[in-house]
Amino acid sequence: MKEKYGAESGAVDGNSAPDPSESNSGAESGTVDGDSAPVPSESDPNTENRPMHCVVGGAHAFILRISSFFGLAPLRFESRSNGFSVGISSAMCVYSYILVTVLVISTIFGLVAEINVGVDLSVRMTSRMSQFVSTCDVLVVVITAGAGVYGAPKRMRNMLKFMESVASVDTSIGAHYSLATERKLCGILIAILLFFSVLITDDFFFYALQAKKKNRQWDVVTNYIGFYLLWYVVMILELQFAFTALSVRARFQAVNGALALTARHIAVPLEKVRDPTPLNIFAIRVAAESRRCANNVSLLVDTMPGREHAVIIRNAVSGEPKLVVPPCEAIRRLACLHGSLCSVVQRIGNSYGLPLIVILISTLLHLIVTPYFLIMEIIVSAQRIHFLVLQFMWCVTHILRMFVVVEPCHYTITEGKRTEGLVCRLMTSTPSTGMLPSRLELFSRQLMLQSVGYTPMGMCTLDRPLVASVLGAVTTYLVILIQFQRL
Amino acid sequence: MKEKYGAESGAVDGNSAPDPSESNSGAESGTVDGDSAPVPSESDPNTENRPMHCVVGGAHAFILRISSFFGLAPLRFESRSNGFSVGISSAMCVYSYILVTVLVISTIFGLVAEINVGVDLSVRMTSRMSQFVSTCDVLVVVITAGAGVYGAPKRMRNMLKFMESVASVDTSIGAHYSLATERKLCGILIAILLFFSVLITDDFFFYALQAKKKNRQWDVVTNYIGFYLLWYVVMILELQFAFTALSVRARFQAVNGALALTARHIAVPLEKVRDPTPLNIFAIRVAAESRRCANNVSLLVDTMPGREHAVIIRNAVSGEPKLVVPPCEAIRRLACLHGSLCSVVQRIGNSYGLPLIVILISTLLHLIVTPYFLIMEIIVSAQRIHFLVLQFMWCVTHILRMFVVVEPCHYTITEGKRTEGLVCRLMTSTPSTGMLPSRLELFSRQLMLQSVGYTPMGMCTLDRPLVASVLGAVTTYLVILIQFQRL
Amino acid sequence: MKEKYGAESGAVDGNSAPDPSESNSGAESGTVDGDSAPVPSESDPNTENRPMHCVVGGAHAFILRISSFFGLAPLRFESRSNGFSVGISSAMCVYSYILVTVLVISTIFGLVAEINVGVDLSVRMTSRMSQFVSTCDVLVVVITAGAGVYGAPKRMRNMLKFMESVASVDTSIGAHYSLATERKLCGILIAILLFFSVLITDDFFFYALQAKKKNRQWDVVTNYIGFYLLWYVVMILELQFAFTALSVRARFQAVNGALALTARHIAVPLEKVRDPTPLNIFAIRVAAESRRCANNVSLLVDTMPGREHAVIIRNAVSGEPKLVVPPCEAIRRLACLHGSLCSVVQRIGNSYGLPLIVILISTLLHLIVTPYFLIMEIIVSAQRIHFLVLQFMWCVTHILRMFVVVEPCHYTITEGKRTEGLVCRLMTSTPSTGMLPSRLELFSRQLMLQSVGYTPMGMCTLDRPLVASVLGAVTTYLVILIQFQRL
Amino acid sequence: MKEKYGAESGAVDGNSAPDPSESNSGAESGTVDGDSAPVPSESDPNTENRPMHCVVGGAHAFILRISSFFGLAPLRFESRSNGFSVGISSAMCVYSYILVTVLVISTIFGLVAEINVGVDLSVRMTSRMSQFVSTCDVLVVVITAGAGVYGAPKRMRNMLKFMESVASVDTSIGAHYSLATERKLCGILIAILLFFSVLITDDFFFYALQAKKKNRQWDVVTNYIGFYLLWYVVMILELQFAFTALSVRARFQAVNGALALTARHIAVPLEKVRDPTPLNIFAIRVAAESRRCANNVSLLVDTMPGREHAVIIRNAVSGEPKLVVPPCEAIRRLACLHGSLCSVVQRIGNSYGLPLIVILISTLLHLIVTPYFLIMEIIVSAQRIHFLVLQFMWCVTHILRMFVVVEPCHYTITEGKRTEGLVCRLMTSTPSTGMLPSRLELFSRQLMLQSVGYTPMGMCTLDRPLVASVLGAVTTYLVILIQFQRL
């Protein structure tokens, strides 16, 4: 039966010219596999450093514009009919570097100035100990923002590259663009930023008011303005990562949707059919000028250079998605797409590695220190209501920051597990004849070897168990502290 | 040999009409896999929102009735010959919501009233610190009960859905109904509830007596009555989860039993044959009206629509179970059943996710705080015997609560490992000819990809190592505290 | 080629009568797999409760005799030419139960008596706190010894059962008996026991001398004699587990040796050939009367009832081991043996579950408390040299106890990994024709599904990382305590 | 098609004489697999104890020379044209043992002398507590250096053995020698050593100056000189491990490069082609005299004894690497090379096991104690600037030490994951005809069974999560300590 496969797949692809020779030679002589095939120069060096562009829209364009303002996305935006065409901009790089350097220097000078004022006049550093804690706090923010901004050009270049992978998924799957989803995401984004702005402003005014009693309000304003602006940079960096991860996760969802459609096509019953048109595909579309080179990511071009072959699902006029290739071929292409999405996840994890680790450590430290002050304030005295509310809001913010980073990763892992479940279901239910079982076996082995997950710098996996262990450590620590307080 | 398979399996199924065409086309043309098969509309939308019913009996009916009384199962019970037919009831939903809202509001008002009384007159809050601890305690119970009751309708709808999967296993395996097992389970249930009632009552009266000295006994009663009733809700919620998990685990056991029977059938010797008739199948039977749609869960309908084909084991008149399909087909069907049970486990984990996480956190906190008071009481003074006994009983209760949640999950995992062992044993012992090895290979790959286990919200896996780490953390913490006490 | 396999294996086994029919039918009709094969009643119920016997010798007989004296192995020993024939003895069960009940009661009465004496006169309980710690210490020892002795009959019955599996490995592999290894093991055993006896005696006399100053030496002797004897029971229990685990590990080594021999046979080069005759097989031999029923464990009997077919390796007159079956058949049989050894490991883990968990917890607690006293003694004052030495020896003993339990498990896991490495090596190096690759694939899948390791009660895996985490926890804890002492 | 394989691979290898017979017999009779093949005596005992030599150059030769001076590499160096021929030297063994024995004895005598001086006159032990801490510090260094030097001969013998595996990879892959990479590595090595020397000297002079005030400077010099020299031994030992691990990791990189080349050869598009000539192969070349016996490691010699068959990639005159075997054969050979590199990793982990564990524990302890002093010094008083700088540099050094040990292991694991990704990519993209899919399946199963990673003594895996947990423990601990300080 194996000898028939070449012809079979040839018939499927519609262009059987090169295939029979291959299958024949494979059956008859041993010299074919490596020698006769010319090595295609698909990864020629000039594609590496060509100017990269891609078209973004919706929530992703929104976060990129904000990031760009804070120096975290040195991109040039050109308005198009369907969004913005973005590309690396040298001018924006210079702007980013100048911005963050000025902020970092002013922050550090402010810190030194506050320390030199002494413990009696300062409003935040009323003891040597709090001088030390405040210095740590400021340094953590400075390092995170620095790691974010100085690494931004490289990160954006990476982003442009993997957006091509992502766009090839969109083409293959026949994805829709949902304005409603994009608007909802923009709404969430604005809500988080507004909440954070209110908190930062409140915190700022609280200490300015405290300082007014000592007639130092203008000193405090000039000393801390850089610090508060860097906090913004950190927050935007986290949101940028979260939206990038969510955007990749939407593609995993689309692949799973296509897998479910394939399953229904070969009469495998599924418990619950998700909405057939995965509308929450975000708006990333590779522009026309980079469409040509998108081929070297779409792995399905090995037999003919036609532009329609990568399409797995096309939407009929009725809006119903329809498989345009046989299931066996669909599984093969979906496995390829899954593999390239896995490597996209890995590359995102690498490019956000250092900032994510610094963010996690700083969140852990803040989650240990802030609730302690909050609880002590509650137990010892409840007079300073403003301080109490401020501390509570900081607590909420730090927990929120952790969830902003971890939840998109968790959703991605969940989609990865759904893929495993769907492949299992397909394996047990398909008949054992034809190419399908061997394709599914390949897919299952691929799933065993490649796991979906963000591991910044290989330090830890960003998932809910990480949140559980962080919260567990914080809880135990707080209980110990409060218990001893009690003694 | 593969070309023969179509015919072979056709012969096995007794109805070889559609099969040869498939195997022929699979061997000759590549266009079969996806196109010629019409897509069956087995998951048409009207099955989604049809009124769901199922028949329950025995211990599961008992716990559902109790849950229903406490608002955790808004179901309508109709007595049948073999149990109760249950379905979602809107009236019960309203009752549940009103009940829990009243309890929560009265509890919170009681808490505020107690705090306002001040540390001198209160019996449980004799310091600012214990005010804080008591507030946490009350809030944890309120949140757990709220998460339990407000999510109950969705959870029950899920339960009705997966009970169909469970019922299809029962039909396939030829399961028995054991009155003795059900009675034993009801006994355990009543024993746990009685123990808990005694504890709650004792605790209540202890504090009422304390309050009597300050002439505040009626205040305390009205302030705390809601709190104690919410404790009941929490306890019932845990028991409901435990019984649901046990009921699924009994199906895993039945699948393992069928696997062992298949192994004996093909002359694979096993060390120890478990009791051939797995009698501890709980009493969940899908009623006649939903039997029709149970087909979309039983995955075995792909070749013919007869209603007997899903049966793997039938009990002979002698009471001996007997395979009614060839071993190779039995393995295929058991793999399907195993897969659908795995997804049942996952859905139960999802629908009980939030309450389970809150319960675990509250148990951890209680296990840290309660033994500390107990040990301090022992070391410092042993006069207040009643308080000592009460604290000891609370300790026992919290450990019991953890085991009530974790043990059914552990048993399920153990059954999952037994399946792996049985499949391994079958793999090594079967001859290498025929379809059996490839079926077993599929089963083994499925077991590698899908793991059996409850992971509420993806936070942690409910198993014994979790208990070990919780107990380890508590022990270390207590040793540190007592050691410092010593200094 | 597959059609030839039946004949091939038939030719190999020397008795090809039933095989061709099977291979033919497998190739021609689909009705063979399950129906035509009669179900053999190899696991008939009367083999379950038949009187079990097996012959043990060497170090294992030695530890069983000592265990038997302390009530941990209620066996009847009959001297044979090659060791002792052992079987469950009801008289010894009664002796064990009486012994441990007397010891437990006397220990608890002693404890109560010491507490009632008061903190002024007692030598070990000089404060309420040390009363609490001492009570915990005594209770842990009582529980461990109780769990050990009361579960001993069941454990021994299990041991007799899995010894048959072990004996079938010995027969198949052609194992030798090494007197030297046995003597070395007995030596280690005696050394550990002597060290422990000296420590216990020294500890006993230290407190007796202390008591002499208060004229209470005889009270102390009667109060504590039971406690010290129970310590012995605990120690013997640990050694019994260690020797059982070592004995199973020797069989894994033998299977690996046979695998390496097979590899050399098919010209796969290995870096280093271990000693071809695995001499450290301990002396467990199933006696003649249970040889008959050993068949139901050896899984290789499915086609013919000859008694020589299970032999994989036989030693030539020159002492050189030689494969007596073709490599492909050898791999199949070794996979079976490996699988049955895995289930032996699992059953040992189950039967020693509770005592092992109690031992681990008590070791953890002792390792936290004992070094603390030692270090405090060193830092505060070095006058009481005897106490210092005693505490140091207790530290060493507790670390030794942990290693006695964990090291045999670690060695077993290491052998399991060596098997994986050997199978990998064989997979990459064998030619891709013949049955060998598919047999190796089966073996590799079996290794992926079944892991070698002791997990008492599913709580944790007994391995070196467990030791690392225990020692890490103890170290951190001690550093914190000492640091605070410093402040 | 399978029957064709023998001929196919024979044609590929250029020498088809022994192959057809094998494939024929495999297809026709079942007695071939084990009996007719003569067992080759490739691992005859005289190759075990033959004098081993290998030629090293570049950075590896540099670190070995330094190690040799400090007694950590008892080798005889003979200058060759392309590096140094090294072999075990008995004279150097004696030198090593004498050196370390003298240093250890002088260190311990110095320690005892300092303790006997008393807390008033000593400069490092100003209290009983710091006497205890200092003693622990000295003992840890003594144990690490002792474990390093006394185990050095065995470790070097192991190194010579696995260098042959490594050299066979170099031959097969056609590796280059890059002088630039070697010089960069030597530079890093010298920089680390210089930094450490400055630190050690500064620390030494700091305490000598302190002692001068008490007129004890010469006592301190003689008491501590051994201790500081042993610190050097420890540092060199870590660097030796790091360079060995880096050298193995370069081979994994080369195997991955060859895999990528194979992928390009069969027209599988890869996102980014790494530099085609992996220049960072370190300079380890087996000398001519041991080339003969390198065959027993290169696993590819099983059919013919020619010396060219193991070559997978040869560099064309244009400098472009070129596959000289068909892809299917290349995959097979690369899988073999990967397997042998995995066992090299395991053997390195075993031979450095004990020193690595002692180093990890000592680093953990130092990382807990040193930052505490640093932070206390900052908070309490900032007068002693020299002491502050010294403590800070020690902190940096201990973190550096941990990274020196862990980073090479992390890089190795990363390469292992890259192999998995490449194999997945190949699996999904290759056509399903020919031998290639089955070869890739074998490779993927091998990757699932054998993991790449250093696990010294099976205690833990050396990777970044270990660093994360160490830093997490240290952070939590410091926060607790400082928080309590605050109270």
Side-chain angles (χ1 to χ4, degrees), chain D residues 306-354:
Chain D
R307 48 180 268 273
E308 282 297 51
H309 60 277
V311 176
I312 302 171
I313 290 176
R314 201 176 297 148
N315 295 304
V317 275
S318 63
E320 277 288 297
K322 201 177 159 323
L323 271 189
V324 296
V325 289
C328 155
E329 184 64 19
I331 295 293
R332 195 176 80 88
R333 293 183 183 179
L334 288 172
C336 286
L337 291 177
H338 187 87
S340 68
L341 282 177
C342 281
S343 66
V344 165
V345 163
Q346 214 178 326
R347 268 182 289 158
I348 294 176
N350 287 345
S351 57
Y352 283 89
L354 184 60

Side-chain angles (χ1 to χ4, degrees), chain D residues 216-269:
Chain D
R216 288 190 64 246
Q217 67 267 43
W218 296 114
D219 286 3
V220 166
V221 167
T222 49
N223 285 342
Y224 281 109
I225 188 88
F227 174 63
Y228 284 108
L229 285 173
L230 285 179
W231 253 120
Y232 257 102
V233 174
V234 170
M235 200 69 200
I236 299 284
L237 180 65
E238 292 191 25
L239 287 169
Q240 189 186 337
F241 169 74
F243 272 68
T244 312
L246 277 177
S247 139
V248 174
R249 175 243 182 176
R251 270 71 194 184
F252 274 107
Q253 256 178 332
V255 166
N256 282 342
L259 215 51
L261 188 74
T262 313
R264 263 189 306 156
H265 208 74
I266 50 176
V268 175

Side-chain angles (χ1 to χ4, degrees), chain C residues 267-301:
Chain C
V268 175
L270 294 175
E271 281 92 22
K272 192 188 170 182
V273 179
R274 304 281 174 104
D275 37 2
T277 50
L279 292 163
N280 43 0
I281 291 287
F282 300 170
I284 299 175
R285 272 156 313 203
V286 174
E289 64 259 36
S290 69
R291 176 63 51 87
R292 190 194 52 73
C293 55
N295 285 345
N296 75 336
V297 194
S298 103
L299 299 161
L300 313 163
V301 285

Side-chain angles (χ1 to χ4, degrees), chain B residues 192 235 238-243 399-409:
Chain B
I192 291 175
M235 200 68 200
E238 293 191 25
L239 288 168
Q240 188 186 337
F241 168 74
F243 272 68
I399 291 174
L400 186 78
R401 280 175 63 204
M402 195 163 60
F403 276 106
V404 160
V405 169
V406 172
E407 283 301 281
C409 305

Side-chain angles (χ1 to χ4, degrees), chain A residues 250-281:
Chain A
R251 269 72 194 182
F252 274 107
Q253 255 179 333
V255 166
N256 282 341
L259 214 50
L261 188 73
T262 313
R264 262 189 308 156
H265 207 74
I266 50 176
V268 175
L270 294 175
E271 280 94 23
K272 190 187 171 182
V273 179
R274 304 282 174 105
D275 36 1
T277 51
L279 292 162
N280 43 1
I281 290 287

Side-chain angles (χ1 to χ4, degrees), chain D residues 279-315:
Chain D
L279 292 164
N280 43 1
I281 291 287
F282 300 170
I284 299 175
R285 273 157 312 205
V286 172
E289 66 260 36
S290 70
R291 176 63 52 86
R292 189 193 52 73
C293 55
N295 285 345
N296 75 335
V297 194
S298 103
L299 298 161
L300 314 162
V301 285
D302 42 2
T303 46
M304 49 202 153
R307 48 180 268 273
E308 282 297 51
H309 60 277
V311 176
I312 302 171
I313 290 176
R314 201 176 297 148
N315 295 304

